[in-house]
Amino acid sequence: DSYPNASDKPVDSPVLGDELQFTESDIQEAITRDQFLVEFQPQVSLRDNSWVGVEALARWLHPEHGLLYPGAFIATAESAAVALAFTEHVIGIALRQFGRLAAEVGFQGSLSVNIPPTALTDVQFPDRLLPALAECGVAPDTFVLEMTENSLPENDQVVLDILTRLSMRGVSVSIDDFGTGKSSLERLQGAPFNELKIDMVFVQNAQTEPSSAAIVESAVSLGRRLNMNVVAEGVETCEAAQWLHSIGCGMAQGYRFGRPMTLDKLVAWAADRPDSSGATSKDEL
Ligand code: C2E
Ligand code: MG
Ligand code: MG
């Protein structure tokens, strides 16, 4: 079994909901009715297996369809009409819960949230985000905005201005699903990215496909040369974690370490770790 413990499997039975169709006003209404929630997935350092961050992932507790994963609704939620409202709503939920992590388990790592460029249209976004971080006791330099590269518009001055302003205040900007978008290398220039997340497709195929292994190795060395934090996504096995460490990848996220969990489960997960605040033996990778 590649999962550390069976209890990591989600309690609820979320539905993929691929067949469902939602409109922008469905999303708006779900925001108003407070039907979105977040789960947190841990990120660990491959150097010493310590717990260093969490990524907040949106879910929709739909009154008819049950708990929905992003695959069912995120394309609509990222459409221009609702992207900013949805993003700020989810960030608000994540921040309030994340504030409790510090209080309840003394966690001092980072919080990552996903943000589509369609939500970066308002130059006043930083003026609302920074006070919201302060209010929840989250230091800007522990906050990470993850953007998928294929959704990054080229030469969008407003997007760049917003990212640059936040970056100057200490917020990190991460390029999500690296390797899958177009012009991925070109887009590393100009925007203030300081983290690169290698898409799980390459990470998972690397064990069996030399071409995927080569892509992961190049992405790691590129990230290191550009002084970026490199995170491997979708790490499910001990072998994958050890290999990633051996090629110089700094951080990992995946079922090997923990599934996305509600805050309560995350608190329990943290308590179960040999040493939740610091290093554990490298053998436990
Ligand atoms: P992502 O940001 O790349 O998030 C990682 C996804 O990979 C999550 O799926 C997570 O559950 C899954 N995952 C993590 N580790 C493993 C593993 O070891 N094996 C496998 N098979 N999967 C793993 P999820 O939660 O379904 O999210 C899918 C995507 O939806 C995210 O991909 C992100 O692009 C988007 N998303 C999620 N929450 C938000 C949000 O609040 N706002 C926006 N704009 N997008 C979001
Ligand atoms: Mg992400
Ligand atoms: Mg990703």
Side-chain angles (χ1 to χ4, degrees):
D1 193 351
S2 55
Y3 308 120
N5 28 115
S7 63
D8 279 348
K9 294 186 181 163
V11 259
D12 307 287
S13 320
V15 281
L16 291 175
D18 294 336
E19 72 291 347
L20 300 171
Q21 294 270 316
F22 297 107
T23 63
E24 290 153 4
S25 56
D26 293 332
I27 301 291
Q28 194 56 63
E29 191 179 321
I31 293 173
T32 312
R33 299 186 177 206
D34 213 5
Q35 291 168 353
F36 290 107
L37 53 116
V38 301
E39 288 189 324
F40 296 97
Q41 185 174 33
Q43 299 177 327
V44 304
S45 161
L46 286 169
R47 188 173 49 82
D48 57 12
N49 205 26
S50 57
W51 176 29
V52 291
V54 291
E55 177 178 3
L57 294 155
R59 277 90 181 85
W60 181 0
L61 190 53
H62 193 282
E64 275 167 60
H65 307 296
L67 189 64
L68 300 176
Y69 272 11
F73 62 85
I74 210 72
T76 311
E78 289 187 349
S79 64
V82 288
L84 181 59
F86 172 77
T87 301
E88 291 195 309
H89 180 69
V90 171
I91 289 177
I93 299 169
L95 281 178
R96 286 189 294 277
Q97 298 208 342
F98 185 77
R100 283 182 47 202
L101 259 194
E104 289 176 32
V105 300
F107 182 61
Q108 301 200 324
S110 59
L111 169 65
S112 299
V113 300
N114 293 284
I115 183 159
T118 43
L120 293 179
T121 50
D122 179 359
V123 288
Q124 258 127 48
F125 176 70
D127 303 327
R128 294 190 298 272
L129 178 64
L130 293 164
L133 295 178
E135 205 173 300
C136 296
V138 178
D141 63 0
T142 60
F143 190 71
V144 184
L145 291 174
E146 294 190 3
M147 299 189 54
T148 47
E149 53 174 334
N150 53 5
S151 57
L152 234 189
E154 271 166 278
N155 302 321
D156 189 319
Q157 205 50 52
V158 175
V159 171
L160 280 183
D161 281 357
I162 296 171
L163 293 181
T164 305
R165 281 183 59 200
L166 288 171
S167 173
M168 286 183 332
R169 301 294 296 273
V171 170
S172 292
V173 185
S174 173
I175 186 158
D176 204 350
D177 301 343
F178 184 76
T180 56
K182 43 190 176 107
S183 327
S184 50
L185 297 174
E186 190 182 306
R187 278 167 192 187
L188 283 175
Q189 287 196 313
F193 289 113
N194 31 30
E195 181 178 275
L196 188 156
K197 295 189 81 173
I198 306 172
D199 193 82
M200 74 169 99
V201 166
F202 306 112
V203 172
Q204 295 185 342
N205 291 340
Q207 306 305 302
T208 51
E209 266 179 27
S211 60
S212 293
I215 289 168
V216 174
E217 287 175 29
S218 324
V220 168
S221 77
L222 178 71
R224 288 174 58 126
R225 280 187 71 174
L226 296 178
N227 233 336
M228 295 166 85
N229 186 31
V230 182
V231 185
E233 297 192 88
V235 179
E236 295 189 358
T237 64
C238 181
E239 294 70 43
Q242 277 167 347
W243 175 71
L244 287 159
H245 175 62
S246 77
I247 62 164
C249 181
M251 273 167 63
Q253 181 178 341
Y255 297 172
R256 169 73 190 103
F257 305 101
R259 291 196 170 229
M261 295 171 258
T262 58
L263 184 74
D264 288 341
K265 292 202 98 192
L266 184 66
V267 168
W269 173 90
D272 271 355
R273 279 176 71 80
D275 177 359
S276 59
S277 58
T280 49
S281 159
K282 212 177 91 186
D283 308 337
E284 292 180 44
L285 276 182

